[in-house]
Amino acid sequence: MTSKVDEALGYEQARDELIEVVRRLEAGGTTLEESLALWERGEELARVCRRWLEGARARLDAALAEEAGESPADGASEDQD
């Protein structure tokens, strides 16, 4: 489960912390227990990032759908792909 603190993290904060977690795991030298804790933290951070990206995708899709719904007289280009 993701904590309230994680939910308050911005995308960049979560991504940066996730990068650090991955670096620590790749560097090795941690105990099994530490590695498991890092892995679990990484999974939580990945979920936070995924939610941000899904939200951004939804906003883009909504903006594109709104733009596509405009008539050429409203300023939308007729040459859209």
Side-chain angles (χ1 to χ4, degrees):
M1 280 190 179
T2 306
S3 72
K4 294 220 184 265
V5 172
D6 290 339
E7 291 174 6
L9 283 176
Y11 172 77
E12 289 82 6
Q13 293 170 305
R15 181 202 59 212
D16 290 346
E17 188 178 340
L18 179 56
I19 289 169
E20 183 58 30
V21 165
V22 170
R23 282 186 188 142
R24 290 180 61 193
L25 284 168
E26 288 178 340
T30 58
T31 66
L32 177 59
E33 190 64 32
E34 291 168 332
S35 294
L36 287 172
L38 285 168
W39 178 269
E40 290 169 348
R41 181 63 180 155
E43 289 291 327
E44 292 171 2
L45 292 165
R47 278 190 288 276
V48 170
C49 290
R50 191 175 310 112
R51 274 196 299 279
W52 274 104
L53 292 172
E54 288 169 353
R57 170 55 67 190
R59 289 176 62 190
L60 286 171
D61 289 345
L64 291 171
E66 182 179 313
E67 182 179 299
E70 293 179 354
S71 68
D74 293 335
S77 172
E78 293 181 35
D79 295 333
Q80 292 182 5
D81 291 332

